[in-house]
């Protein structure tokens, strides 16, 4: 562990807000970002440009006014990112730790940085404080000090690789694809994406983690590599060896109702937790089965096998990600 | 080849204040290169990392350019999205006037010339290929059938269809009417004419039948609404309506419904915010009413949760009011609970008049309750100490602990409470150790000899004394009955044996004594007869003769008189007692005449040498003390 200063004049500082749902990116449209209910996310910079990473990373810090709610979520995310190994499709934690803002710190409003003025108004460059920085292999120390530090006014943070890719919400949501102003995904690509996600889930389940928060805003699509990257594990749970088959089934059901249905049809299954900010109980209290909903266009897009697969998935018929991946591979082979 | 472009873009982005031209230049060159790659106009192999980096840089450049563009006054550059327009309007006056940017969309640009080239978006080509309506004459079969129509009608029909699929129904309807006039039996023209009229009349236009621009904006509005960005959604929706108006469509039911819904959501949000403000001012009832209204209007979980939370707090305040208004003795638990709830509410909402009043009332009521609690705790502690069963003792201790907790909750935890807690803890420990002893005794009894359970008996000895009426102790006692019986029997046997042995021994001894007495007694009696013999001693009556010696005795007694003076044989110390261990009172030299003094008894020193008491006097000097006889020589007169 080492201590650093957060100060835009001399050391680390926070730049533009990255969690304001809409930012203007490569596309000539507003790009949706996941706005967190438990955290704020800013770009992390250094006054001397001396950060050890090639691209400035994202700095995810607990909301100071939502501590009771956010505390378990951050603890779980530390556990998962600290323990999970060997999955390169997960956005890794580069460093973690605690931030103690100086007294009287005013946190910026959630303004989309769609102009230079708004970028400054919504940015975190005025936030000053002390950082207790831990390396990824010191996660146990973070967890040990967690309660004590929070009582002492520190806020936990994670430094994550910044995702620059488009998220799958923008590429799949019917509101966007109907507008036809970005490149739509083909069904072959959709099946490949679903397979990649099930592969991530398979590995995560094998190590004892469930993701649970399967909104498409949490999946990013790296076009050059044709690769899915997953982000934000704070609703997830780290169970280690105690991961029960029911939890795996629930995770797959959430994936099916929210991500898979959205990928296939452009919208989530009716009754699934909303795309906006979710709390763990929203997911825990969601139905145990869902029904597929197809618009006219979607009926033309999907074939019978794909529809049957989606319906089976929404009924919770898959007990493992491996099983689901195998089915998806068969469907992809037929395309 | 791509590397210099990447480096250039990185350099531009890394510089503190890159110029607009630099940004545009970097972006357009990178965009042209990527476009050439993707369309196959350039066939060089590019490393995947470079490709990825260039994609990322393109986004960075675009983002930066768009932000700058968004800050340009409306007269110079129109924001391309409603988001930009909505968010930049308030700050435009504060902007400096940067050079207006020209086209910043990612349209491909011919390298070197920077001249945009037209290229349809991939999605358009996809739609064209997938268009099941067949409206764009790509179907040869359709063209065959169409060719059966009047050429002029067919031309008008094409125009009408084009306008129809663009959602331009105002234009399409008169064209369809002309077609129908020329060919009344053309069913497709009739259907589309009817549909277009219906759309315009009722406003029930399905989203697929919207003009494309309006469809785009409607889609965006729906996406934004789905994640609760209502203002942004409304801006998109306004754009969609503008496009519809341009197409001559006055009514659009779905859009109006969405607008009404969005406005409803926004109004609910305003009411909710108002409620939150009132909450921060401490007006819980009005705040609750506002938030409840917002929750009922839009059923957003956040509003519903907040309303429930405030309802629960108001209900808690009412409960506390009821408690402080109660007459008679208020149960301490109720008081402590009320105090805790009030503190929580105070922490949550800050100081409010109502809370302050309730606190004052509670503070007045608490001292009497505290004394009562303390007395009760002491009584319970005493009862626990005297309880005849472990269960009863535990119940009393638990009661005392509850009272202590209540004291703690009432902030009345002082030295007395601490001392009570300490005593109660000791009682608990004692009860626990006794219970443990009973348990162990039972186990030992079960596993050991049931007719001689001495270990179990020893283990449970203290516990049996402490809890004589405890069911477990009673059971143990019953269990020990066989052991008691065996012990009594053993004692009886042992006593009998002892008595027998004693009797036997006594008899043996008395027999021995008897035997010995019989052997000696006669001799002894005879001896006494012999003692009579000394009567013969009476015979020497001549003993009277020595009486005559008495007379010379006085002569002899005068003999010592000469030795009443002695002289030391050497220089010696006269000491206070006999001899060397004692204080020397004076020193006498040989030749000094010492007078022997009378002594009640003879005295000897540690070496068994005899001392005598002597005195010396010479003029005004005199001393008295002991000296060793061996150091003296008699002095003849």
């Amino acid at each position: 562990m080492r201590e650093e200063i957060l100060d835009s004049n001399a050391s680390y500082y926070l730049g533009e807000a990255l969690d304001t749902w809409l930012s203007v990116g490569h596309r000539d449209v507003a790009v949706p970002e996941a706005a967190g209910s438990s955290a704020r996310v800013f770009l992390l910079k250094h006054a001397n440009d001396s950060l050890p990473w090639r691209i400035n990373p994202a700095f995810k810090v607990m909301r100071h006014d939502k501590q009771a709610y956010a505390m378990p979520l951050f603890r779980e995310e530390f556990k998962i990112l600290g323990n999970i190994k060997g999955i390169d499709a997960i956005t890794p934690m580069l460093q973690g730790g605690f931030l103690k803002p100086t007294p009287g710190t005013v946190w910026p409003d959630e303004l989309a940085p769609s102009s230079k003025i708004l970028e400054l108004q919504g940015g975190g460059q005025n936030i000053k404080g002390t950082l207790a920085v831990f390396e990824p292999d010191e996660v146990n120390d973070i967890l040990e000090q967690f309660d004590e530090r929070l009582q002492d006014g520190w806020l936990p943070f994670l430094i994550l690789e910044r995702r620059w890719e488009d998220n799958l919400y923008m590429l799949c949501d019917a509101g966007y694809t109907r507008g036809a102003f970005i490149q739509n995904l083909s069904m072959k690509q959709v099946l490949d994406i679903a397979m990649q996600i099930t592969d991530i889930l398979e590995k995560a389940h094998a190590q004892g983690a469930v993701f649970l928060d399967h909104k498409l805003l949490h999946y990013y699509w790296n076009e050059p590599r044709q690769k899915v990257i997953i982000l934000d594990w704070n609703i997830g749970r780290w169970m280690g060896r105690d991961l029960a088959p029911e939890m795996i089934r629930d995770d797959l059901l959430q994936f099916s109702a929210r991500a898979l249905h959205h990928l296939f049809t452009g919208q989530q299954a009716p009754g699934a937790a909303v795309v906006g900010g979710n709390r763990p109980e929203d997911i825990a209290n969601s139905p145990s089965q869902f029904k597929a909903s197809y618009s006219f266009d979607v009926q033309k897009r999907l074939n019978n096998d794909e529809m049957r697969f989606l319906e089976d998935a929404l009924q919770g018929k898959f007990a493992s990600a491996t099983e689901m991946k195998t089915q998806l591979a068969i469907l992809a082979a037929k395309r | 080849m791509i590397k210099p472009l990447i480096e250039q873009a990185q350099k531009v982005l890394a510089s503190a204040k890159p110029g607009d031209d630099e940004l545009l230049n970097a972006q357009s060159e990178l965009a042209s290169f990527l476009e050439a790659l993707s369309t196959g106009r350039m066939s060089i192999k590019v490393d995947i990392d470079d490709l990825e980096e260039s994609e990322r840089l393109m986004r960075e450049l675009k983002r930066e350019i768009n932000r700058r563009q968004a800050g340009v006054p409306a007269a110079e550059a129109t924001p391309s999205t409603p988001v930009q327009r909505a968010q930049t309007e308030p700050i435009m006056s504060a902007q400096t006037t940067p050079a207006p940017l020209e086209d910043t969309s990612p349209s491909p640009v011919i390298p070197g010339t920077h001249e945009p080239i037209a290229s349809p978006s991939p999605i358009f080509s996809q739609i064209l290929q997938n268009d099941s309506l067949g409206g764009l004459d790509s179907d040869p079969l359709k063209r065959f059938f169409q060719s059966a129509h009047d050429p002029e009608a067919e031309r008008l029909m094409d125009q009408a269809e084009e306008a129809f699929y663009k959602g331009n129904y105002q234009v399409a309807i008169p064209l369809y009417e002309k077609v129908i006039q020329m060919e009344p039996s053309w069913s497709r023209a009739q259907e589309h004419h009817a549909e277009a009229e219906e759309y315009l009349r009722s406003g029930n236009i399905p989203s697929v039948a919207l003009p494309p621009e309006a469809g785009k904006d409607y889609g965006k509005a729906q996406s934004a609404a789905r994640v609760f960005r209502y203002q942004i959604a409304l801006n998109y929706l306004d754009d969609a309506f503008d496009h519809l108006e341009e197409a001559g469509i006055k009514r659009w039911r779905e859009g109006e419904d969405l607008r009404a819904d969005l406005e409803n959501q926004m109004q609910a949000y305003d009411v909710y915010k108002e409620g939150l403000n009132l909450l921060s001012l401490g007006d819980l009832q009005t705040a609750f009413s506002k938030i409840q209204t917002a929750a009922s209007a839009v059923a957003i979980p956040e509003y519903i949760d907040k309303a429930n939370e405030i309802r629960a707090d108001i209900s808690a305040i009412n409960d506390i009011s009821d408690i402080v208004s109660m007459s008679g003795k208020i149960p301490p638990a109720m008081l402590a609970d009320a105090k805790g709830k009030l503190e929580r509410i105070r922490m949550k909402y800050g100081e409010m008049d109502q809370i302050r009043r309730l606190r004052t009332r509670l503070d007045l009521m608490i001292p009497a309750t505290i004394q009562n609690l303390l007395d009760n705790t002491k009584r319970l502690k005493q009862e626990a100490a005297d309880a005849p069963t472990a269960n009863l003792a535990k119940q009393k201790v638990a009661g005392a602990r509850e009272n202590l907790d209540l004291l703690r909750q009432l902030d009345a935890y002082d030295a007395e409470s601490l001392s009570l807690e300490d005593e109660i803890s000791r009682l608990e420990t004692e009860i626990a150790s006794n219970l443990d002893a009973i348990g162990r005794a039972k186990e030992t009894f079960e596993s050991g000899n049931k007719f001689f359970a001495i270990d179990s008996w020893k283990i449970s000895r203290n516990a049996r004394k402490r809890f004589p009426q405890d069911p477990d102790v009673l059971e143990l006692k019953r269990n020990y009955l066989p052991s008691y019986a065996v012990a009594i029997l053993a004692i009886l046997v042992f006593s009998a044996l002892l008595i027998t042995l004693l009797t036997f021994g006594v008899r043996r001894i008395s027999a021995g004594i008897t035997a010995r007495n019989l052997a000696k007694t006669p001799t002894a009696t005879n001896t006494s007869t012999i003692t009579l013999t000394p009567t013969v001693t009476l015979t020497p009556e001549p003993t009277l003769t020595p009486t005559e010696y008495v007379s010379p005795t006085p002569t002899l007694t005068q003999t010592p008189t000469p030795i009443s003076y002695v002289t030391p044989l050497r220089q010696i110390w006269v000491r206070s007692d006999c001899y060397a261990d004692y204080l020397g009172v004076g020193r006498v030299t040989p030749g000094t005449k010492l007078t022997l003094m009378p002594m009640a008894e003879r005295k000897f020193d540690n070496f068994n040498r005899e001392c005598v008491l002597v005195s010396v006097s010479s003029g005004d000097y005199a001393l008295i003390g002991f000296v060793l006889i061996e150091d003296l020589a008699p002095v003849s007169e």
Side-chain angles (χ1 to χ4, degrees):
Chain A
M1 193 277 284
R2 65 176 201 283
E3 288 213 345
E4 298 281 356
I5 301 297
L6 189 73
D7 184 348
S8 56
N9 294 321
S11 181
Y12 290 87
Y13 70 97
L14 303 182
E16 68 182 87
L18 300 178
D19 59 348
T20 49
W21 192 72
L22 290 173
S23 60
V24 179
H26 174 59
R27 312 295 186 193
D28 191 17
V29 292
V31 178
E33 309 276 357
S37 56
S38 63
R40 293 285 336 254
V41 187
F42 298 92
L43 193 66
L44 182 67
K45 292 181 166 182
H46 195 285
N48 306 327
D49 281 333
S50 59
L51 288 178
W53 306 287
R54 191 173 58 85
I55 304 168
N56 288 343
F59 185 89
K60 178 178 180 178
V61 61
M62 180 190 276
R63 281 179 188 263
H64 68 290
D65 53 348
K66 297 274 176 69
Q67 286 200 25
Y69 160 66
M71 215 163 79
L73 307 187
F74 265 81
R75 194 185 283 122
E76 214 61 30
E77 190 161 18
F78 275 125
K79 273 192 213 167
I80 292 173
L81 293 178
N83 285 299
I84 214 157
K85 308 279 178 215
I87 310 179
D88 64 351
I90 286 177
T91 303
M93 178 176 76
L94 304 171
Q95 283 174 345
F98 303 93
L99 159 67
K100 189 165 196 175
T102 49
T105 296
V106 178
W107 290 82
D109 290 336
E110 287 177 57
L111 297 172
S114 47
S115 73
K116 294 306 285 179
I117 291 287
L118 289 172
E119 181 186 346
L120 279 175
Q121 285 178 350
Q125 59 280 344
N126 292 329
I127 298 171
K128 291 181 181 174
T130 310
L131 297 168
V133 184
F134 295 76
E135 295 302 319
D137 57 359
E138 295 175 316
V139 161
N140 287 337
D141 295 341
I142 296 178
L143 292 169
E144 271 174 26
Q145 297 176 20
F146 198 85
D147 293 333
E148 201 180 325
R149 291 249 188 198
L150 258 72
Q151 279 173 10
D152 198 26
W154 295 79
L155 299 170
F157 69 80
L158 295 109
I159 298 177
L160 301 159
E161 242 180 39
R162 186 196 171 182
R163 295 264 61 87
W164 56 270
E165 300 91 347
D166 292 327
N167 64 49
L168 284 175
Y169 180 81
M170 203 185 85
L171 299 176
C172 298
D173 187 71
Y176 279 94
T177 55
R178 182 168 43 199
F181 47 86
I182 55 163
Q183 183 167 6
N184 202 356
L185 294 169
S186 69
M187 200 55 208
K188 178 97 175 161
Q189 275 178 312
V190 163
L191 290 168
D192 178 47
I193 288 167
M195 262 197 294
Q196 287 191 40
I197 297 174
T198 49
D199 186 56
I200 298 169
L201 294 180
E202 181 186 23
K203 288 173 181 165
H205 292 168
Q207 295 186 42
V210 282
F211 184 61
L212 295 174
D213 197 5
H214 290 278
K215 67 178 79 161
L216 276 189
L217 285 169
H218 286 161
Y219 291 103
Y220 285 77
W221 178 239
N222 186 308
E223 177 74 26
R225 294 181 193 276
Q226 294 285 296
K227 180 182 169 185
V228 176
I229 299 164
I230 195 168
L231 181 76
D232 197 353
W233 286 79
N234 65 8
I235 300 280
R237 296 284 304 277
W238 173 257
M239 304 300 294
R241 290 180 184 174
D242 300 327
L243 184 59
E246 294 76 32
M247 290 198 77
I248 294 176
R249 198 183 287 270
D250 279 353
D251 197 25
L252 293 175
L253 184 66
Q254 284 300 321
F255 162 65
S256 306
R258 301 185 74 193
L260 196 66
H261 196 283
H262 213 152
L263 283 166
F264 276 31
T265 70
Q267 57 194 354
Q268 292 193 150
V274 294
V275 188
N278 299 125
R279 291 177 299 184
E281 56 268 29
D282 297 338
I283 291 162
N285 296 333
S286 67
S288 56
Q289 287 186 338
F290 296 88
K291 280 190 174 174
S293 164
Y294 308 116
S295 66
F296 177 73
D297 290 339
V298 171
Q299 285 176 39
K300 286 199 298 179
R301 186 187 196 198
L302 302 180
N303 61 35
N304 286 337
D305 291 341
E306 287 156 356
M307 286 188 196
R308 205 174 305 119
F309 167 78
L310 182 60
E311 283 155 21
D312 285 349
L314 293 172
Q315 293 292 309
K317 289 187 179 170
F318 291 101
S320 73
T322 317
E323 209 179 310
M324 206 174 226
K325 193 169 75 173
T326 313
Q327 280 290 316
L328 282 163
I330 295 167
L331 293 175
K334 289 181 183 172
R335 279 277 173 176
Chain B
M1 196 172 169
I2 196 168
K3 282 199 187 296
L5 295 176
I6 289 174
E7 281 164 12
Q8 181 195 356
Q10 283 172 337
K11 197 175 153 189
V12 169
L13 285 169
S15 59
K17 284 183 182 173
D20 293 342
D21 291 343
E22 287 176 296
L23 284 166
L24 275 173
N25 194 36
Q27 187 217 1
S28 61
E29 286 188 14
L30 207 51
S32 333
F33 188 89
L34 291 173
E35 174 67 19
L37 263 184
S38 64
T39 53
R41 281 188 286 124
M42 192 181 284
S43 57
I44 58 161
K45 195 172 178 183
V46 177
D47 187 69
I48 185 89
D49 290 335
D50 290 338
L51 198 59
E52 191 179 34
E53 179 64 2
S54 56
E55 285 270 354
R56 188 185 72 78
L57 289 168
M58 278 293 292
R59 280 162 168 73
E60 291 281 338
L61 289 165
K62 181 70 185 174
R63 187 179 292 117
E64 184 62 25
I65 289 167
N66 274 342
R67 281 179 196 168
R68 289 177 179 218
Q69 191 182 32
V72 174
E76 297 176 29
T78 309
S80 59
T81 70
V83 185
Q84 291 165 352
R85 192 172 61 235
Q87 291 173 340
T88 53
E89 272 165 7
I91 55 161
M92 275 174 187
S93 56
Q95 292 290 305
T96 54
T97 313
L101 299 173
E102 297 193 353
D103 184 15
T104 56
S105 67
S107 308
V109 178
I110 297 166
T113 63
H114 297 235
E115 185 184 336
I117 56 164
S119 73
S121 149
I123 191 65
F124 281 141
S125 50
Q126 197 176 335
I127 286 174
L128 296 183
Q129 285 159 18
N130 295 344
D131 183 18
S132 62
L133 300 171
L136 298 184
D137 294 343
S138 56
D139 186 351
L141 189 62
K142 189 178 164 200
R143 276 206 293 274
F144 171 77
F145 282 117
Q146 280 177 344
S147 65
H149 294 291
D150 176 84
E152 177 58 16
E154 197 174 329
R155 190 184 61 77
L156 288 171
M157 183 66 177
D158 281 348
Q159 288 175 9
E161 289 283 82
E162 197 176 337
F164 181 84
Y165 284 116
K166 280 183 179 170
N168 201 345
Y169 305 116
Q170 291 273 31
V171 175
I173 288 170
L175 289 168
Y176 281 129
E177 283 169 352
K178 284 181 186 167
V179 173
I180 293 164
Q181 270 181 356
M182 295 167 80
E183 290 200 28
S185 58
W186 198 340
S187 58
R188 187 174 176 84
Q190 286 169 345
E191 282 166 16
H192 280 187
H193 177 256
E195 269 181 46
E197 281 198 323
E198 172 64 15
Y199 290 159
L200 286 181
R201 187 180 54 78
S202 67
N204 287 332
I205 308 170
S207 53
V208 288
L210 288 171
E213 287 304 320
K216 284 181 197 177
D217 287 330
Y218 180 51
K220 287 188 240 178
Q222 283 180 314
S223 290
R226 225 168 272 153
V227 286
F228 314 133
R229 276 14 192 210
Y230 301 121
Q231 184 56 54
I232 291 160
L234 210 54
N235 292 336
Y236 277 128
L237 200 62
D238 285 345
D239 280 5
F241 271 107
D242 289 347
H243 289 303
L244 287 178
E245 207 168 322
E246 283 165 17
I249 299 170
K250 306 284 183 203
R251 290 194 64 192
W252 174 35
R253 177 77 51 87
E254 208 175 335
E256 282 159 9
D257 289 348
L258 180 60
R259 173 177 276 166
D261 186 40
L262 289 171
E263 283 170 352
N264 192 24
Q265 295 278 6
M266 288 173 71
Q267 277 169 10
Y269 180 73
D270 289 343
V271 173
Y272 177 71
K273 279 279 176 200
E274 211 177 311
L276 291 182
N277 280 339
L278 287 167
L279 210 57
S280 66
L281 295 173
D283 188 354
L284 255 66
Q285 282 293 356
T286 323
F288 170 66
S289 144
K290 294 272 180 193
I291 290 172
Q292 179 67 40
T293 308
S296 311
V298 291
I300 286 180
E302 188 184 346
Y303 300 176
I304 294 169
D305 289 353
K306 196 72 189 171
N308 288 339
E309 189 185 320
I310 300 169
R311 184 188 291 119
D313 290 340
I314 291 173
S315 161
I317 289 174
N318 290 338
D319 289 348
I320 297 164
S321 301
D322 290 347
I323 290 168
V324 296
S325 312
M326 276 169 78
S327 56
K329 191 178 163 190
I330 300 170
M334 208 179 252
L335 211 56
D337 185 46
K339 188 174 164 54
K341 277 182 184 167
L342 198 64
E343 193 56 26
R344 184 180 58 77
I345 292 168
R346 192 182 68 81
M347 295 286 282
K348 195 165 165 185
Y349 300 111
E351 286 294 346
M352 288 161 45
D353 285 346
Q354 196 181 4
I355 292 175
R356 201 178 298 118
R357 278 198 300 276
L358 287 172
R359 243 175 100 193
T360 313
R361 293 282 299 274
L362 272 176
D363 287 346
L364 288 173
M365 298 168 89
I366 283 171
T369 310
I370 288 169
Q371 192 50 50
N372 193 20
L373 265 178
L374 271 172
D375 294 344
N376 194 24
T377 312
K378 283 179 195 165
R379 186 177 53 74
L380 284 168
K381 193 209 79 184
Q382 193 52 45
E383 284 175 3
D386 299 338
T389 67
N391 259 346
L392 189 59
K394 281 204 292 188
Q395 280 173 16
K396 300 289 178 188
V397 165
R401 279 243 175 257
E402 266 178 36
N403 284 355
L404 285 174
D405 284 344
L406 292 175
L407 281 170
R408 201 174 284 121
Q409 286 171 34
L410 291 170
D411 291 338
Y413 213 68
D414 54 5
E416 193 176 358
S417 313
L418 271 174
S419 145
L420 263 174
E421 178 157 29
D422 188 41
E423 287 168 27
I424 288 164
S425 297
R426 264 186 272 135
L427 259 177
E428 268 181 330
T429 314
E430 187 217 328
I431 294 166
S433 62
N434 280 325
L435 279 174
D436 180 54
I438 291 169
R440 279 186 292 118
K442 282 170 88 174
E443 275 175 26
T444 314
F445 178 81
E446 292 300 328
S447 61
N449 187 341
K450 291 188 174 48
F451 293 96
F452 192 62
I454 187 70
D455 290 338
S456 170
W457 185 84
K458 277 184 186 168
I459 290 168
S460 66
R461 188 161 44 195
N462 290 336
R464 279 183 285 122
K465 278 183 196 161
R466 174 69 184 82
F467 300 121
Q469 292 172 23
D470 192 88
D472 286 340
V473 169
L474 293 175
E475 191 192 338
L476 270 177
K477 282 178 178 172
R478 276 196 298 278
N479 289 342
Y480 292 153
L481 285 177
S483 301
Y484 289 143
V486 169
I488 291 166
L489 196 65
I491 290 167
L492 286 175
V493 170
F494 180 73
S495 307
L497 200 64
L498 194 67
I499 290 163
T500 311
L501 283 172
L502 281 172
T503 314
F504 183 71
V506 168
R507 279 183 185 171
R508 284 289 300 273
I509 292 162
S510 52
I513 292 165
T514 310
R516 286 184 192 186
N517 285 348
L518 284 173
K520 288 176 178 174
T521 315
T523 332
T525 48
N526 287 338
T527 318
S528 59
T529 333
I530 294 162
T531 55
L532 292 173
T533 321
T535 15
V536 181
T537 56
L538 292 172
T539 322
E541 278 185 15
T543 50
L544 292 171
T545 320
T547 324
E548 292 176 22
Y549 282 105
V550 174
S551 55
T553 312
T555 329
L556 287 173
T557 50
Q558 285 175 352
T559 323
T561 312
I563 60 162
S564 62
Y565 295 102
V566 289
T567 183
L569 295 172
R570 56 188 179 88
Q571 189 178 37
I572 56 168
W573 284 93
V574 178
R575 296 185 182 273
S576 61
D577 208 334
C578 185
Y579 177 72
D581 293 338
Y582 297 96
L583 183 68
V585 291
R587 198 150 48 170
V588 288
T589 53
T592 310
K593 189 178 173 184
L594 307 174
T595 309
L596 286 170
M597 300 298 289
M599 292 170 66
E601 57 184 3
R602 295 172 70 184
K603 283 210 168 193
F604 298 90
D605 74 354
N606 292 338
F607 301 102
N608 239 8
R609 295 174 298 182
E610 192 171 3
C611 297
V612 287
L613 187 63
V614 295
S615 69
V616 186
S617 59
S618 167
D620 58 349
Y621 168 73
L623 62 88
I624 185 164
F626 291 88
V627 294
L628 289 167
I629 285 180
E630 66 186 11
D631 293 330
L632 301 174
V635 176
S636 55
E637 284 296 322

